[in-house]
Every structure is written in structure tokens, then in C-alpha cells.
Amino acid sequence: MDVFFLGTGAGVPAKLRNVTSIALKLLEERGAIWLFDCGEATQHQILHTSIKPRRIEKIFITHLHGDHIYGLPGLLSSRSFQGGNSLVTVYGPPGIKEYIEISLKISKTYLKYPMEIVELEEGIIFEDEQFIVEARLLEHGIPSYGYRIIEKDRPGTLLADKLQAAGVKPGPDYRKIKNGEEVILDNGTMIDPTEFVGPPQKGRIISILGDTRKCKNAQLLAEKADLLIHESTFSAGEEAIAHEYFHSTTLQAAETALHAGAKKLCLTHISSRYDRNDWQQLEAEAKTIFPNTVLSEDFMEVLIPYDHDE
Amino acid sequence: MDVFFLGTGAGVPAKLRNVTSIALKLLEERGAIWLFDCGEATQHQILHTSIKPRRIEKIFITHLHGDHIYGLPGLLSSRSFQGGNSLVTVYGPPGIKEYIEISLKISKTYLKYPMEIVELEEGIIFEDEQFIVEARLLEHGIPSYGYRIIEKDRPGTLLADKLQAAGVKPGPDYRKIKNGEEVILDNGTMIDPTEFVGPPQKGRIISILGDTRKCKNAQLLAEKADLLIHESTFSAGEEAIAHEYFHSTTLQAAETALHAGAKKLCLTHISSRYDRNDWQQLEAEAKTIFPNTVLSEDFMEVLIPYDHDE
Ligand SMILES: [Zn+2]
Ligand SMILES: [Zn+2]
């Protein structure tokens, strides 16, 4: 599992940062990519990566500002040309359905794969045996959502050597033990399953937020997250302008990460008023409050390891 | 006056060719840029040129396929951020208005400049003292227009030395002569205006066509054009597939240029099935029929000189 930043700029595309899109790569977990936002030219950015559009399974839109959605019709169309035939589900605020449907209708685009569009309400918006995705409203000029992606814990693996030593034979007994059931062997020995299964693998939590002022829901979504991706349109000292335009500063993003007890913070949605020479300073500002901070760049990849400390 | 190719590919963006957009630079003539089509990431391409989005005065859309319009909402929005405050007029087939208006409405984008959207019918769609623009339907799967941009002839300049020798004094008489009126001097001499004005400057003609099969209207639009820009999605020999998908081959584009008596041909809308090594061959194919052919590339600029031979 890792996060790949396809676009990390704010508002309008710039030479060094495209408008927002983030890929959550779940290739080992489910052979899929989940996309968060799809600013214009996201498909162009993807051309320069190893990401296969046909692997995109879900697209989560945080809010309907142009710099977060204008790449959607093109990406969906091109996925058809590029051999995509599996279902794509798009989640986004009300309005996303009309935008996609009108864009495809007027351009006479017929997708060769099924698409489902889910207009959001707060709460759990997706759950299967692997993941839960929760959405909450943030504070922006228009409805803007943050997403909390919760990987479910995985049961521990069977300790085969120990089972063999105890005289348990591979077969139905193994399955029972794996499922946590007691087993009594032919010789009368009772096998306690907890002793023959390794520790469960704790799932990871990633929090990917849309544009927002500093707010309580951002912190709730980021609670103990392994990775928090938070906008930081402005630098420290620009709190007034950030408030006026419903955005956050480096310091505000770092405070949210700190109060949430997140493990790592990636700053994104960086205004083009800051050039390459300013980036280190922006990161340093956040680090004064939350040391494990990284300022994202286009094409940066961040691994999300399992936490083996717990 | 020159033409700048912002995107020269077909259907989907590729690393070496973006989807369609062509800028007609009329900086000397009227301090303006006219854009023809606006595929996704046209604004990104512009970032790498000297083109100022605020100078874009008119946008002509040939047809509503996604590779020709998906860059429009982003370009229009960003022009607002980039100091554009003058009127923009967008011309396109019926449907273009709904597409633009829904995209801007759903993304809550409020342009800081006035915009006018003209849904096309065939005929003269624009005329002022400098230019006439005529639109005709081509043959594509959906309504696809070609544009003929006719620069009006400019009256010759006053021959000041000759006027002075004849005893005409600068002032109201000069204006009359420039306007073609006869003037009688105080000494009774009659001044024939045609003798004191240089030859008129013949206006240029540029023909920019949307996706099309070879067709009569393409030839009519290109009649004696200084420059014809014609799609050539496929190579020679692919006439069957070109017909099926309502496109043209290199040879068909060249035939149209030849029969129209155009002076120069630029091929564009090149399928990504052809890579860099094939491009010379595509150009060579067209040249067998129409020698003054150039295969366009992204960021290529073509000057359109006045024709001094006539
Ligand atoms: Zn934004
Ligand atoms: Zn096309």
C-alpha cells in the first residue's frame, strides 16, 4: 500500500505542480488503484507513471471545485480506450453525477465498462472484507469531504511448525484452528487455537482530506492515522487569508496531525505563489509542530508500512 | 499572423502529442489569440508557451468529442485567475453551451469576464472590419465544423512623396484620398485617388477543419487558402478504417489541399498508433500529392506570410 501524488498544486495548474489528484495504490491488497480527486490532466500525469488506468477501481472526489474534477471526463473516457472493462465507482458530493453524465452525453462518449456514481452523505460510504471508508464534511466554501480509509485487521497466520510439533495434521483441523475454534485430537489433547496462530496484522489507516479550514472533523478523520494527507495552501502567518478562502496553513495542518495522534503528515495543495525555493521552509514550519511531516511533490510516492510496534 | 499547434494528437492524449488545440496568433493584427478546439490540458500546454490566456478573444470548437472540448472549463476558469477581464466568445455546435454552463455551475466557478457562447449554424458566423469567419459542416460521426478565416484586403498606403510633389497638403485632403474620394486643389488640379494610393494588401485565408472524412465542404472551405489545416488520423492505405471512423488519411487530406488550390497544408490529429519514426513517412505520403505539406507537432509554429506574388 502506498500513496502516489499525481497533482499537488492549488487552484490552477502550474509548471511544477498539477492540480489535485492522489492515487492510493492497493496493488498487493486488491490489484486496484483508488483515486482521490481528478484535476485536469490527471490522465496526462498518469502517462508518466506505471499506473494502469484499467486498474482504477474507485474514484473519490472531495469537492466539486474545478481543480479537483475537470480531469474526470477525460480519464473516464480514456480508460475505455485503454482496455478498462471492470466497474468503476465514483464517490462525490451531490452534483458529481450531473457533471459526469452531461460531460459524457454531450461529447457522445460511451464507456465500455460499467460505472456507478454515488453521491455522498456523511458516514460509512464503503465496506467490504478488506476496507472501510468513512466520509465527513470539512469546512470549505462548498461541501468538501475528507475520507478515512480503514484497512481491517487481518487474522494471524497459522504457526505450522508448532502445529506439527503438537501432532496436528494439515486438513480440516488447520481450518478450524485458523477460524479460532478449539480442536480435540485423537489422543485427547485439546488444542487452544490462540496458541497456534500468530498475532493479527493490524490494518492501516489513511486519511485523505479535501480543501478545508482547520476543523474538528479533519482531526476526527485523522485519529491515529498511519498517514494524514492534509491541504496546506498557505504558509504560516497567512492564517487570515487561509480563513477567508476556507483553506489551511502549514501550521494548522500540523496541529491537526498532532491533535489527532497521526503517525505521518503529507502536506499538499500548495499554492503556486510558493516556488521551489520556498518549499523547504513550508515543510520546516509544519515540522516545528509535527516533526514527521513531508511536503508532497508531483510524482512523489509514500509507502505506508504496517505498524510493527503495536 | 501565425498558427501555433498546442495539441496534434487524436482521441486520447499521448506523451508526444496532446489532444487537439490550435492557436491562431493575431497579435499584430488585433492583439488577440483565437483558439480552435480545446482538448484536455490545453491550458497546461499554454504554460510552456508565450501565449497569454487573457489575450484569447475567441474560441472556435469544431465538434463536441471529448478530445476537442474537455480542456474548455479549465482554460476558461484559469483565464479568470490570470487577469483576463475582456470578453471571450465561444463558437461551437449545439450542446457546447450546456457543457460549459453545467461545468462552471457545478464547480461553482464565476468568471471575472463576460463570456458569450454562440451555437453554430453554417454560414458566416463572424465579421468585423478585419476578418470574416465562415463555418461549414464536414462529415464526421457527429456534427463537425470546418472554419474558413478570411482576412479582409487592406487598402493601400498613401504615397506621401507623390502627393507632396503634386502639391497636396497633409490634412483633410489626405483622408479623402485614402478613402478613395476625388480632391480638387485650390489651383483647380483634380487628384485621382487611385494614383496616389499603393496597391491594396490582399488578405490571407486560413482554413482550420474539424475531424472529417474527405468531403466537398472541406474543399470549399480550403479554396485558395494560404494555409489549410486538415486532420490526417491515418496513413495512406487505411482508407477503409478512416471511412469507418469518419476520419481522413494523409492522401485524402493532400487531395483536398490540391483540389482546393491551397498554398500550404498542415496535417494534424495524428493517431498515437504512429510513433516518432513513422512521422516522416506520413508527411512523405501527403507530399506525393501535395508537395507543400508539413506534418504538425506539438509546439510547432507556422507563419502565414502575405502573398506578394499576386
Ligand atoms: Zn482546490
Ligand atoms: Zn478528434
Side-chain angles (χ1 to χ4, degrees):
Chain A
M1 184 191 284
D2 54 85
V3 161
F4 192 98
F5 288 86
L6 290 164
T8 60
V12 293
K15 274 188 196 170
L16 296 176
R17 293 186 186 271
N18 196 31
V19 284
T20 299
S21 184
I22 297 167
L24 177 63
K25 294 168 80 172
L26 303 170
L27 296 173
E28 274 178 44
E29 291 77 5
R30 55 200 291 136
I33 307 273
W34 291 2
L35 217 58
F36 291 79
D37 287 333
C38 189
E40 184 177 352
T42 294
Q43 64 164 327
H44 297 67
Q45 298 285 89
I46 287 176
L47 280 179
H48 299 279
T49 71
S50 62
I51 293 172
K52 301 269 171 290
R54 64 185 156 79
R55 292 227 183 257
I56 296 172
E57 180 198 15
K58 294 176 180 293
I59 304 175
F60 299 87
I61 299 296
T62 61
H63 64 299
L64 300 178
H65 277 152
D67 56 321
H68 297 255
I69 64 169
Y70 282 167
L72 210 36
L75 181 107
L76 293 171
S77 309
S78 296
R79 186 177 185 272
S80 243
F81 281 95
Q82 290 151 344
N85 49 30
S86 57
L87 172 71
V88 168
T89 308
V90 182
Y91 303 85
I96 191 69
K97 194 171 161 72
E98 184 185 8
Y99 171 68
I100 293 174
E101 289 182 349
I102 295 283
S103 298
L104 298 182
K105 184 198 82 178
I106 287 180
S107 60
K108 298 278 188 282
T109 304
Y110 307 101
L111 302 180
K112 289 180 200 144
Y113 54 85
M115 176 174 59
E116 194 185 4
I117 303 173
V118 179
E119 296 198 329
L120 290 180
E121 290 176 39
E122 286 190 299
I124 290 176
I125 59 163
F126 171 73
E127 177 166 6
D128 68 2
E129 64 287 350
Q130 284 186 309
F131 287 97
I132 298 174
V133 181
E134 189 191 341
R136 283 177 191 259
L137 273 169
L138 304 169
E139 271 184 46
H140 199 47
I142 61 173
S144 178
Y145 284 87
Y147 294 101
R148 178 176 172 89
I149 303 100
I150 305 159
E151 184 186 30
K152 293 186 176 176
D153 297 345
R154 288 199 287 193
T157 48
L158 281 182
L159 305 172
D161 287 353
K162 203 171 167 188
L163 284 163
Q164 220 161 1
V168 187
K169 297 208 177 66
D173 284 349
Y174 267 49
R175 199 169 48 248
K176 283 184 190 159
I177 292 165
K178 174 128 203 190
N179 290 341
E181 296 170 34
E182 269 182 19
V183 165
I184 295 166
L185 301 182
D186 293 345
N187 63 10
T189 315
M190 201 184 71
I191 299 291
D192 174 358
T194 61
E195 287 175 22
F196 294 88
V197 174
Q201 178 64 71
K202 207 162 159 35
R204 292 156 289 185
I205 297 171
I206 306 100
S207 172
I208 303 179
L209 310 188
D211 294 6
T212 189
R213 284 179 182 161
K214 193 184 169 199
C215 69
K216 187 71 190 170
N217 271 352
Q219 188 183 318
L220 291 173
L221 287 164
E223 190 73 21
K224 299 213 180 334
D226 293 85
L227 176 65
L228 165 60
I229 299 175
H230 196 297
E231 73 126 294
S232 128
T233 311
F234 297 107
S235 69
E238 301 283 11
E239 283 71 24
I241 196 170
H243 186 83
E244 189 185 342
Y245 290 101
F246 294 94
H247 285 299
S248 301
T249 67
T250 50
L251 295 185
Q252 290 171 328
E255 281 164 6
T256 294
L258 181 70
H259 296 144
K263 297 198 184 73
K264 182 170 186 153
L265 170 64
C266 279
L267 302 177
T268 188
H269 203 269
I270 311 300
S271 168
S272 62
R273 61 158 67 183
Y274 305 110
D275 71 18
R276 197 189 274 284
N277 302 316
D278 302 317
W279 296 349
Q280 211 180 347
Q281 169 62 20
L282 293 173
E283 187 176 285
E285 288 167 10
K287 281 180 164 169
T288 60
I289 289 175
F290 190 84
N292 196 12
T293 299
V294 179
L295 189 87
S296 67
E297 294 185 26
D298 284 17
F299 302 109
M300 184 177 92
E301 191 153 11
V302 174
L303 200 75
I304 307 162
Y306 284 111
D307 188 345
H308 294 292
D309 306 338
E310 305 201 35
Chain B
M1 184 193 282
D2 53 85
V3 161
F4 192 98
F5 289 87
L6 290 164
T8 61
V12 293
K15 274 187 196 169
L16 295 176
R17 294 186 186 270
N18 196 31
V19 284
T20 299
S21 184
I22 297 167
L24 178 63
K25 293 167 82 172
L26 304 170
L27 296 172
E28 275 177 42
E29 291 77 7
R30 57 200 288 138
I33 307 274
W34 290 1
L35 216 59
F36 292 78
D37 286 334
C38 190
E40 184 177 354
T42 294
Q43 63 164 327
H44 297 67
Q45 297 287 88
I46 287 177
L47 281 179
H48 299 280
T49 72
S50 62
I51 294 173
K52 301 270 171 289
R54 65 184 156 77
R55 293 228 183 256
I56 296 172
E57 181 198 13
K58 294 178 180 294
I59 304 175
F60 300 87
I61 299 296
T62 61
H63 65 298
L64 300 178
H65 277 153
D67 57 322
H68 297 254
I69 64 168
Y70 283 166
L72 210 35
L75 181 107
L76 293 170
S77 309
S78 296
R79 186 178 184 272
S80 243
F81 281 96
Q82 289 150 345
N85 48 33
S86 57
L87 173 70
V88 168
T89 308
V90 182
Y91 303 83
I96 191 69
K97 194 171 161 70
E98 184 186 8
Y99 171 68
I100 294 174
E101 289 183 349
I102 296 283
S103 297
L104 297 182
K105 185 199 81 176
I106 286 179
S107 59
K108 297 276 187 285
T109 304
Y110 307 100
L111 303 180
K112 291 180 198 144
Y113 55 84
M115 178 175 57
E116 197 186 359
I117 303 173
V118 178
E119 295 199 329
L120 290 179
E121 289 176 40
E122 286 191 300
I124 291 177
I125 58 163
F126 171 72
E127 177 166 6
D128 69 1
E129 64 287 350
Q130 286 185 309
F131 287 97
I132 298 174
V133 181
E134 189 191 341
R136 283 178 191 260
L137 273 169
L138 304 169
E139 271 185 45
H140 199 47
I142 60 172
S144 178
Y145 283 87
Y147 294 102
R148 179 176 172 89
I149 302 102
I150 305 159
E151 185 186 29
K152 291 186 176 175
D153 297 346
R154 286 197 290 190
T157 48
L158 282 181
L159 304 173
D161 288 353
K162 202 171 169 189
L163 285 163
Q164 220 161 2
V168 187
K169 296 207 177 69
D173 283 349
Y174 268 48
R175 201 170 44 249
K176 284 184 193 158
I177 295 165
K178 175 129 202 185
N179 291 341
E181 297 170 33
E182 269 182 19
V183 165
I184 297 168
L185 302 181
D186 293 345
N187 63 11
T189 315
M190 202 185 70
I191 300 290
D192 175 358
T194 62
E195 289 174 23
F196 294 88
V197 174
Q201 177 65 69
K202 209 163 156 38
R204 291 156 289 185
I205 297 172
I206 308 98
S207 174
I208 303 178
L209 309 188
D211 294 7
T212 189
R213 285 180 182 161
K214 194 185 168 197
C215 68
K216 188 71 191 169
N217 271 352
Q219 189 184 316
L220 291 173
L221 287 164
E223 191 70 22
K224 299 215 181 329
D226 293 84
L227 177 64
L228 165 61
I229 299 175
H230 197 299
E231 73 126 296
S232 132
T233 310
F234 297 108
S235 70
E238 301 282 10
E239 284 70 24
I241 196 169
H243 186 83
E244 187 184 342
Y245 290 101
F246 295 94
H247 285 298
S248 300
T249 66
T250 50
L251 295 185
Q252 291 171 326
E255 281 164 4
T256 294
L258 180 71
H259 296 146
K263 299 200 183 72
K264 183 172 186 152
L265 170 64
C266 279
L267 302 177
T268 187
H269 203 269
I270 311 300
S271 167
S272 62
R273 60 159 69 182
Y274 305 109
D275 71 20
R276 197 189 274 285
N277 302 317
D278 303 317
W279 296 347
Q280 213 182 343
Q281 170 62 20
L282 293 174
E283 189 177 283
E285 289 168 9
K287 281 181 165 169
T288 62
I289 290 176
F290 190 83
N292 196 11
T293 300
V294 178
L295 189 88
S296 67
E297 294 186 26
D298 284 18
F299 302 110
M300 184 177 91
E301 192 153 10
V302 174
L303 201 73
I304 307 162
Y306 284 110
D307 188 345
H308 293 292
D309 305 339
E310 304 201 41

